[in-house]
C-alpha cells in the first residue's frame, strides 16, 4: 500500500503532465525517497494509481539507473567510474573503498550502513575523482579524505 | 572581454537570486522580446548565428523556425531544456544551472514566446541535486514576479514551466529519447523524421535545446545579434564555456570567445600539464569525440574548425590524456560506459559495443589476440553514422577510431607483450 504521504506527493505531480503515465518515473522516485527502494508491491500500487500495467511499469523501472529494485543500505555510495575520474585515479579510490567497506561494487555492508554502487559520470569532471553519498557530492577524493568523510555517515 | 554567460556567477558557490539577477539586467531580454512579435524574436536569434551548445551545433533560430506557428498551429506546443548532461567529461551545464538558474529560465521563456509554446519542461539529471533545489526556487520566484504563468508581464502571453528530475540514463540526452522519458516511457530514441519540431512531446510541436544554448538567448535579445557575433573570434558567434579535466594543473571551466584554441585553454587557463607529465592527446568535447593531438592544438575550437582536425567540438570540455596514462585503458573505460548505457534498441549498438568493450578489456588484462585490432576497426565502420538507430554508437566509435590511428603502437604492445605496459 502506498502511504498517504506517498500518494499525496504522487497526486501532486499529476497536474504537471497531460496524462498519468508521464508521472510514473516521478512516482517511483517518490516511493524510493520514502523507502530507499521500489519493492514489487509499490510497482503494483503505482501502476494501479496511474492506470498502467505493472509489467509495463517494471519495464520502465528497470531501464533507469536511479530506480533501485532491491533494498539498499542506510547510505547509498555512488562512485563515478567515467573517464575523467578514471584518469584521475578511480581504480585506486575503488580499491580503497572496497577495502574500507569490506564489500564489492553492487553490494551492501553487513551492518546495512552502505550500499556501494558504480555510477556513470557525475558531471564534476574538473574535481575528479568524485562520488556521491546519498545527495552529497564529494570531490577531489583521496584515500585520507574518504576515511574522514565515511565517518560522517553513521 | 565580455563574459555574458558567467558574469553573474559568484565565486562563493551560491546562486544569484531574482532581485540580484534583475539588478544585473536580468529579464530585460525577456521584456524586450515581449515587446516584439514572436517572428521578430525568432529572426533576431537567427541573425545572431547562435548554434546549439549541446554538441551538434545546429543553428538555433533555424530549429525554432521549423515549429508550426500562427492560428492554425497545433497546441499545446512545448519547449524543453535538455539538462541531462551525462556525457563523461562534460560538466558545463551544472555550472550554469547552479550559479545562475534565472538565466536559463529567461532564455526558455523567450524561446517559448518565439515558437508560441504553452509549456516548458526542464529535463534535469537526478545527480544535480543542488541545481534541482535552485531551479525549483528560481521557477517559483519567476512565477511570483509574473515572468511565468498567466498573462506574463501583462502581455497576454501564458507559459507554464515544470522541472522534471530524471532517473538517469545517458540516452536521455538524445532529444527524442528525452521526449519518451518525459512521457514516462523507456528512453528509447524515436525515428526521425518526423522531427520533434512538428511531432514531439505527446505528438505536439516541441523544441529541445541545451542549457547553454538557452542561456545565450537573453543576452542576444538584450544586446542584439551584432553584439553576439562580435564576441567570437571566428564565424561561429558568441562565447563558449570551455573546460578541461585530467592531469592538468588547474582543471576547470572558462567562458572564452568562440574559437579559442585548445592550446590557450590547456596552457593559459588550465595551467599546463602537472609537473613531470607531458600532453599526449585530448578528447575535445566529451567522451564521444575523436582525439586531437599536439599538431591540432592551435586550431580554433569552434564547430567547423575542429572538424578539420577530424574531431567535433561537442561540449568543448577537454579530457586530457597524459604520457603516463594508458590510452587502451582509457578507451576501455569509455567503451564500457557506452556499452552499459546503450538503450538496447538496435542490434549494432547493444551487441557491437559489448563486443568492443570486451576486446579492449581483454587487451588490458594481457589477453589480447592477433586480429583484435582488425575487429575493432571493422566495428568502427559497422557502427558508423547511418548504421545504427541513433548517434550513441557512432559517438562511441569516434574516440576508438581516432585512438586506433594515434595509438596503434600502444595497442600492438598490449597484444605483443601480453600485458598493459603502463602497469607494473
Amino acid at each position: 500500500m502506498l502511504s498517504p504521504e506517498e500518494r499525496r506527493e504522487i497526486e501532486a505531480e499529476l497536474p504537471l503532465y497531460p496524462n498519468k503515465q508521464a508521472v510514473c518515473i516521478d512516482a517511483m522516485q517518490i516511493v524510493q525517497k520514502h523507502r530507499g527502494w521500489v519493492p514489487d508491491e509499490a510497482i503494483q500500487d503505482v501502476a494501479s494509481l496511474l492506470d498502467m500495467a505493472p509489467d509495463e511499469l517494471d519495464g520502465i523501472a528497470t531501464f533507469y539507473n536511479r530506480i533501485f529494485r532491491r533494498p539498499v543500505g542506510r547510505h547509498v555510495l555512488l562512485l563515478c567510474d567515467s573517464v575523467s575520474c578514471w584518469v584521475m585515479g578511480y581504480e585506486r579510490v575503488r580499491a580503497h573503498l572496497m577495502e574500507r567497506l569490506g564489500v564489492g561494487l553492487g553490494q551492501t555492508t553487513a551492518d546495512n550502513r552502505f550500499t556501494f554502487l558504480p555510477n556513470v559520470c557525475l558531471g564534476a569532471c574538473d574535481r575528479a575523482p568524485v562520488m556521491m553519498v546519498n545527495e552529497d557530492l564529494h570531490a577531489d577524493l583521496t584515500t585520507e579524505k574518504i576515511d574522514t568523510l565515511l565517518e560522517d555517515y553513521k | 572581454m565580455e563574459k555574458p554567460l558567467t558574469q553573474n556567477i559568484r565565486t562563493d558557490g551560491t546562486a544569484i537570486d531574482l532581485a540580484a539577477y534583475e539588478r544585473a539586467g536580468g529579464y530585460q531580454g525577456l521584456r524586450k522580446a515581449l515587446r516584439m512579435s514572436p517572428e521578430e524574436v525568432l529572426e533576431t536569434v537567427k541573425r545572431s548565428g547562435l548554434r546549439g551548445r549541446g554538441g551538434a551545433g545546429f543553428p538555433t533560430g533555424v530549429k525554432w523556425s521549423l515549429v508550426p506557428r500562427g492560428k492554425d498551429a497545433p497546441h499545446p506546443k512545448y519547449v524543453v531544456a535538455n539538462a541531462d548532461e551525462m556525457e563523461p567529461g562534460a560538466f558545463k551545464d551544472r555550472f550554469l544551472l547552479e550559479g545562475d538558474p534565472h538565466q536559463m529560465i529567461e532564455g526558455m521563456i523567450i524561446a517559448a514566446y518565439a515558437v508560441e509554446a504553452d509549456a516548458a519542461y526542464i529535463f534535469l539529471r537526478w545527480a544535480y541535486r543542488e541545481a534541482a533545489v535552485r531551479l525549483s526556487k528560481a521557477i517559483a520566484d519567476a512565477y511570483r514576479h509574473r515572468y511565468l504563468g498567466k498573462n506574463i508581464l501583462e502581455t497576454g502571453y501564458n507559459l507554464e514551466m515544470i522541472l522534471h528530475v530524471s532517473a538517469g540514463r545517458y540516452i536521455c540526452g538524445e532529444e527524442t529519447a528525452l521526449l519518451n522519458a518525459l512521457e514516462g516511457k523507456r528512453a528509447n530514441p524515436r525515428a526521425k523524421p518526423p522531427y520533434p519540431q512538428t511531432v514531439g512531446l505527446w505528438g505536439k510541436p516541441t523544441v529541445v535545446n541545451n542549457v547553454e544554448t538557452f542561456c545565450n538567448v537573453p543576452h542576444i535579445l538584450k544586446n542584439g545579434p551584432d553584439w553576439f557575433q562580435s564576441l567570437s573570434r571566428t564565424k561561429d558567434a558568441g562565447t563558449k564555456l570551455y573546460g578541461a579535466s585530467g592531469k592538468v594543473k588547474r582543471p576547470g571551466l572558462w567562458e572564452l570567445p568562440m574559437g579559442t584554441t585548445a592550446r590557450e585553454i590547456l596552457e593559459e587557463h588550465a595551467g599546463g600539464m602537472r609537473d613531470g607529465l607531458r600532453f599526449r592527446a585530448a578528447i575535445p568535447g566529451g567522451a564521444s569525440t575523436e582525439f586531437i593531438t599536439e599538431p591540432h592544438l592551435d586550431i580554433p575550437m569552434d564547430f567547423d574548425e575542429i572538424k578539420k582536425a577530424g574531431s567535433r567540438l561537442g561540449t568543448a570540455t577537454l579530457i586530457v590524456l597524459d604520457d603516463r596514462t594508458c590510452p587502451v585503458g582509457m578507451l576501455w573505460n569509455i567503451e564500457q560506459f557506452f556499452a552499459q548505457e546503450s538503450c538496447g534498441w538496435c542490434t549494432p549498438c547493444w551487441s557491437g559495443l559489448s563486443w568492443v568493450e570486451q576486446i579492449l578489456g581483454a587487451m588490458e588484462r594481457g589477453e589480447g589476440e592477433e586480429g583484435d585490432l582488425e575487429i575493432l576497426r571493422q566495428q568502427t565502420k559497422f557502427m558508423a553514422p547511418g548504421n545504427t538507430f541513433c548517434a550513441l554508437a557512432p559517438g562511441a566509435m569516434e574516440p576508438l577510431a581516432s585512438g586506433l590511428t594515434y595509438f596503434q603502437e600502444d595497442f600492438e604492445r598490449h597484444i605483443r607483450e601480453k600485458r598493459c605496459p603502463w602497469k607494473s
Side-chain angles (χ1 to χ4, degrees):
Chain A
M1 282 284 286
L2 294 172
S3 71
E5 197 172 2
E6 287 170 337
R7 181 174 283 270
R8 185 180 52 73
E9 286 182 32
I10 293 169
E11 285 174 345
E13 297 286 316
L14 290 171
L16 306 180
Y17 302 88
N19 64 24
K20 286 183 170 182
Q21 174 165 348
V23 176
C24 75
I25 295 167
D26 289 317
M28 290 188 285
Q29 293 193 91
I30 287 167
V31 169
Q32 187 160 289
K33 183 181 74 179
H34 288 281
R35 307 186 197 189
W37 66 299
V38 183
D40 288 347
E41 61 268 26
I43 291 284
Q44 298 273 355
D45 296 339
V46 169
S48 168
L49 182 66
L50 301 180
D51 298 334
M52 294 173 68
D55 285 358
E56 187 184 11
L57 183 63
D58 195 29
I60 295 160
T62 52
F63 184 87
Y64 291 95
N65 296 330
R66 182 60 179 167
I67 306 293
F68 303 143
R69 289 287 280 115
R70 289 168 59 188
V72 293
R74 292 199 300 283
H75 307 291
V76 177
L77 193 157
L78 301 163
L79 180 62
C80 179
D81 63 6
S82 290
V83 60
S84 298
C85 286
W86 182 86
V87 169
M88 297 302 289
Y90 159 78
E91 288 175 350
R92 186 181 67 247
V93 169
R94 179 185 61 187
H96 186 71
L97 278 165
M98 285 167 70
E99 188 188 324
R100 279 298 310 264
L101 300 173
V103 294
L105 286 164
Q107 297 178 329
T108 299
T109 56
D111 59 2
N112 202 40
R113 189 170 159 210
F114 289 105
T115 295
F116 183 29
L117 298 174
N119 195 85
V120 293
C121 189
L122 285 168
C125 316
D126 54 334
R127 293 178 284 160
V130 299
M131 67 180 188
M132 275 180 88
V133 183
N134 305 330
E135 306 220 332
D136 312 325
L137 183 76
H138 299 285
D140 299 311
L141 293 176
T142 61
T143 51
E144 296 77 20
K145 195 168 176 179
I146 287 168
D147 290 344
T148 308
L149 69 89
L150 286 182
E151 295 307 312
D152 295 338
Y153 298 93
K154 297 297 180 192
Chain B
M1 62 159 284
E2 286 185 88
K3 297 182 178 181
L5 294 175
T6 56
Q7 64 191 2
N8 293 329
I9 293 183
R10 295 164 170 167
T11 51
D12 65 2
T14 60
I16 185 168
D17 64 16
L18 179 58
Y21 183 71
E22 287 173 324
R23 281 198 300 278
Y27 288 108
Q28 292 302 319
L30 174 63
R31 289 176 187 277
K32 195 168 163 188
L34 292 173
R35 291 194 294 270
M36 300 158 73
S37 69
E39 183 68 34
E40 287 169 330
V41 174
L42 198 151
E43 281 305 313
T44 302
V45 173
K46 246 189 194 174
R47 282 200 292 122
S48 76
L50 173 65
R51 296 175 69 172
R53 302 303 201 231
F58 193 79
T60 304
V62 174
K63 193 179 216 183
W64 295 2
S65 70
L66 300 173
V67 175
R69 287 178 302 124
K71 61 179 170 45
D72 296 328
H75 281 272
K77 290 192 274 186
Y78 300 102
V79 163
V80 178
N82 185 343
D84 196 56
E85 192 166 65
M86 275 180 74
E87 174 99 348
F91 50 98
K92 66 186 180 69
D93 295 340
R94 178 202 281 269
F95 187 70
L96 294 170
L97 294 168
E98 289 184 357
D100 194 357
H102 281 287
Q103 180 174 232
M104 188 190 70
I105 291 169
E106 184 183 359
M108 286 185 77
I109 303 169
I110 295 168
Y113 178 72
V115 301
E116 301 169 342
D118 309 277
Y121 287 91
I122 300 172
F123 188 94
L124 180 71
R125 63 170 305 190
W126 67 267
Y128 286 4
R129 309 309 303 178
E130 193 57 43
V133 171
R134 294 177 185 191
L135 279 167
S136 294
K137 181 178 184 313
I139 291 169
D141 289 345
Y143 268 104
R144 261 196 301 280
H145 287 76
R146 307 291 304 277
Y147 295 123
L148 283 170
K150 302 272 182 247
N151 194 19
I152 292 172
L153 299 176
E154 315 298 332
T155 59
Y157 179 59
N158 309 320
L159 182 72
E160 302 299 325
M161 185 172 286
I162 297 113
L163 175 65
H164 174 92
V165 177
S166 87
R169 271 308 278 265
Y170 172 67
I171 192 62
C172 291
E174 199 277 342
E175 72 175 352
T176 60
L178 183 155
L179 299 179
N180 276 334
L182 261 177
E183 291 182 8
K185 299 171 183 163
R186 283 185 164 226
N188 297 121
R190 300 175 180 177
K192 292 189 281 192
Y195 291 91
Q197 291 92 330
T198 49
V199 182
L201 206 49
W202 294 289
K204 301 294 185 184
T206 304
V207 161
V208 183
N209 279 127
N210 171 256
V211 170
E212 188 183 348
T213 312
F214 281 127
C215 287
N216 276 294
V217 171
H219 306 289
I220 291 168
L221 265 293
K222 192 173 155 207
N223 300 308
D226 293 339
W227 165 86
F228 190 68
Q229 300 259 3
S230 76
L231 297 174
S232 169
R233 286 192 196 166
T234 63
K235 67 181 174 57
D236 279 343
T239 60
K240 180 79 195 78
L241 284 186
Y242 291 105
S245 64
K247 290 176 184 164
V248 291
K249 283 186 179 148
R250 294 189 300 271
L253 197 64
W254 309 276
E255 183 180 5
L256 301 167
M258 179 67 91
T260 301
T261 66
R263 189 182 301 283
E264 285 175 84
I265 296 163
L266 293 175
E267 293 180 1
E268 291 175 26
H269 301 282
M273 300 304 294
R274 287 186 177 183
D275 293 340
L277 297 177
R278 291 180 58 192
F279 172 86
R280 185 150 187 222
I283 295 179
S288 68
T289 55
E290 293 91 342
F291 282 96
I292 55 172
T293 56
E294 176 75 31
H296 304 127
L297 291 183
D298 294 312
I299 293 169
M301 290 261 292
D302 76 7
F303 290 103
D304 294 330
E305 292 296 323
I306 202 83
K307 225 182 242 177
K308 293 178 190 165
S311 189
R312 285 192 302 117
L313 182 66
T315 57
T317 45
L318 293 132
I319 310 162
V320 178
L321 171 68
D322 57 272
D323 63 340
R324 297 219 194 136
T325 299
C326 176
V328 176
M330 183 175 178
L331 281 163
W332 181 30
N333 175 278
I334 289 171
E335 298 307 330
Q336 279 178 291
F337 166 80
F338 285 112
Q340 178 191 307
E341 291 300 308
S342 168
C343 77
W345 191 244
C346 70
T347 305
C349 183
W350 68 257
S351 178
L353 289 177
S354 302
W355 194 5
V356 163
E357 181 267 307
Q358 285 167 29
I359 289 173
L360 291 169
M363 278 187 193
E364 269 296 275
R365 289 190 299 274
E367 297 162 7
E369 294 175 1
E370 294 295 329
D372 280 353
L373 290 184
E374 189 46 39
I375 294 171
L376 291 175
R377 287 197 184 93
Q378 279 178 345
Q379 292 297 323
T380 64
K381 295 186 178 73
F382 292 158
M383 287 183 272
N387 292 348
T388 59
F389 199 80
C390 79
L392 187 144
M397 291 300 98
E398 290 182 25
L400 179 62
S402 59
L404 288 165
T405 301
Y406 295 128
F407 312 125
Q408 183 170 336
E409 171 59 18
D410 301 273
F411 281 97
E412 287 172 352
R413 277 191 70 191
H414 277 76
I415 296 169
R416 194 169 59 238
E417 298 176 17
K418 292 279 175 203
R419 68 186 186 102
C420 171
W422 276 264
K423 286 180 183 153
S424 52

